[in-house]
Amino acid sequence: MPVTTRQVGPCFAAEVEGVDMTRPLSADQIKAIHAGMDQYAVLVFHDQKIDDEQQLAFSQSLGELEQAVGTSLRAPDEYRLPTTFADVSNLDQHNRVFARDDRRRLFAIGNRLWHSDSSFKVVPAKYSLLHARSIPSKGGNTEFAYMRAAYDALPDETKAEIEELICEHSQIFSRQQLGFTDFTEDELKRFKPVRQRLVRVHPGTGCKSLYLSSHAGSILGWPVPEARAFLRDLVEHATQREFVYAHKWRVGDLVMWDNRQTMHRARPFPVNEPRDMRRTTLAGDGPTVAQAAA
Ligand SMILES: [Fe+2]
């Protein structure tokens, strides 16, 4: 089946027809999906009735998987899904909704801040693929902001100022913004900051984009309050409505986005309702700036 795309909302999001993830992809389909990701940055595939294995197979046909190990506050014996998945549900290993004050839930609320997946890893994520297994009765949208358009819209003076800047990213910084600060010694060690360029060049298109994330908490060589105020201004600029696509989920949707040129955030939903979202992630090609491995 030929793969076709149709733009939805702003210029960087499209719906895809002609892909059935219960079956292996042809070489042409794989090529078309990658081309679609270069042309847009968010692709929406509706009505995909897939299980974990099929989601894994689809993801692996597009690239190498990133493992989700030690990136949440779930203890190793509390995982609900294998580490080939990032469990972005609000469910414990017995499929029960987390209590409102559960520490694992409160940490995960960090996903409601604008971010780019795994920007806190030395090699950050390339694509994320999020599949909706069950959704709440209201709320829970995912919003995407297009960092390429946000970069283009900056004044030349700002572009020159940020060209060579390096930020430090950590989940500690994003959680601090929400008042979540009671990290254990082990967690502080695990969430040690990594370095990322603030301006990235997309290898497929050669275009520059802002590489922002709520995980960014400092700029090398800058005083911290000045860096945070500056980053906050950039995020405010980059998430103006003209740069944003809001995805309202249907069960069976799989949304794939390019973390190198978008940010995203989850929106709130009723506390007691399950939201079972399963994310597979494709690993990036390498670090955005040379540094010691984590
Ligand atoms: Fe995310």
Side-chain angles (χ1 to χ4, degrees):
M1 220 188 305
V3 176
T4 57
T5 51
R6 188 176 61 88
Q7 187 182 316
V8 284
C11 60
F12 67 102
E15 288 179 337
V16 181
E17 299 273 338
V19 173
D20 174 359
M21 295 177 195
T22 64
R23 307 156 66 107
L25 296 176
S26 69
D28 281 347
Q29 286 180 312
I30 291 171
K31 220 170 123 189
I33 291 171
H34 282 299
M37 287 297 284
D38 283 348
Q39 183 182 352
Y40 301 96
V42 177
L43 293 181
V44 177
F45 304 78
H46 291 299
D47 304 317
Q48 301 294 331
K49 294 184 178 57
I50 52 172
D51 58 20
D52 289 353
E53 276 188 21
Q54 289 163 331
Q55 181 171 345
L56 278 176
F58 174 74
S59 306
Q60 282 170 315
S61 65
L62 297 172
E64 188 197 332
L65 285 184
E66 178 187 283
Q67 302 285 319
V69 181
T71 53
S72 74
L73 295 195
R74 288 174 196 263
D77 60 352
E78 293 173 346
Y79 282 25
R80 189 177 67 106
L81 304 173
T83 58
T84 41
F85 284 85
D87 191 347
V88 288
S89 74
N90 59 344
L91 304 171
D92 69 13
Q93 69 269 41
H94 308 295
N95 284 309
R96 289 181 305 221
V97 173
F98 285 138
R100 187 164 197 176
D101 61 353
D102 190 296
R103 202 166 167 267
R104 295 165 296 184
R105 170 179 182 269
L106 301 180
F107 182 81
I109 285 182
N111 291 323
R112 295 187 194 173
L113 301 180
W114 288 105
H115 66 282
S116 177
D117 286 337
S118 306
S119 75
F120 49 82
K121 292 186 177 179
V122 171
V123 178
K126 184 182 178 187
Y127 300 163
S128 291
L129 302 89
L130 190 59
H131 188 240
R133 304 290 171 91
S134 73
I135 58 174
S137 60
K138 58 181 177 182
N141 288 358
T142 302
E143 296 180 345
F144 298 90
Y146 192 28
M147 295 298 101
R148 181 170 142 190
Y151 176 84
D152 287 345
L154 288 171
D156 287 343
E157 196 186 335
T158 310
K159 286 180 182 166
E161 186 179 13
I162 65 176
E163 178 71 18
E164 298 297 333
L165 293 182
I166 308 291
C167 298
E168 288 190 306
H169 292 230
S170 165
Q171 295 199 91
I172 296 167
F173 299 141
S174 44
R175 273 56 189 181
Q176 275 175 350
Q177 295 181 45
L178 297 173
F180 187 110
T181 52
D182 65 334
F183 291 101
T184 65
E185 282 303 311
D186 167 64
E187 287 161 357
L188 289 172
K189 223 181 283 169
R190 204 147 44 90
F191 300 141
K192 204 167 122 272
V194 305
R195 296 177 175 186
Q196 305 291 0
R197 300 192 65 84
L198 184 50
V199 177
R200 294 185 76 170
V201 178
H202 191 276
T205 62
C207 294
K208 288 182 180 172
S209 63
L210 278 171
Y211 191 43
L212 289 169
S213 190
S214 61
H215 307 309
S218 69
I219 299 173
L220 293 190
W222 285 41
V224 168
E226 191 179 2
R228 292 207 184 175
F230 184 74
L231 291 169
R232 186 180 283 225
D233 278 350
L234 284 178
V235 169
E236 193 175 309
H237 159 78
T239 56
Q240 297 174 81
R241 295 325 285 183
E242 63 189 286
F243 304 132
V244 171
Y245 163 65
H247 184 71
K248 186 171 167 43
W249 291 94
R250 302 191 326 220
V251 170
D253 281 352
L254 184 139
V255 178
M256 175 159 58
W257 63 88
D258 186 346
N259 288 294
R260 302 168 303 182
Q261 47 177 347
T262 57
M263 278 201 293
H264 61 280
R265 64 173 180 176
R267 304 302 292 143
F269 56 94
V271 178
N272 299 322
E273 294 186 21
R275 181 175 185 264
D276 188 354
M277 312 290 285
R278 301 184 185 203
R279 193 186 92 207
T280 39
T281 313
L282 299 190
D285 297 331
T288 65
V289 58
Q291 63 200 291

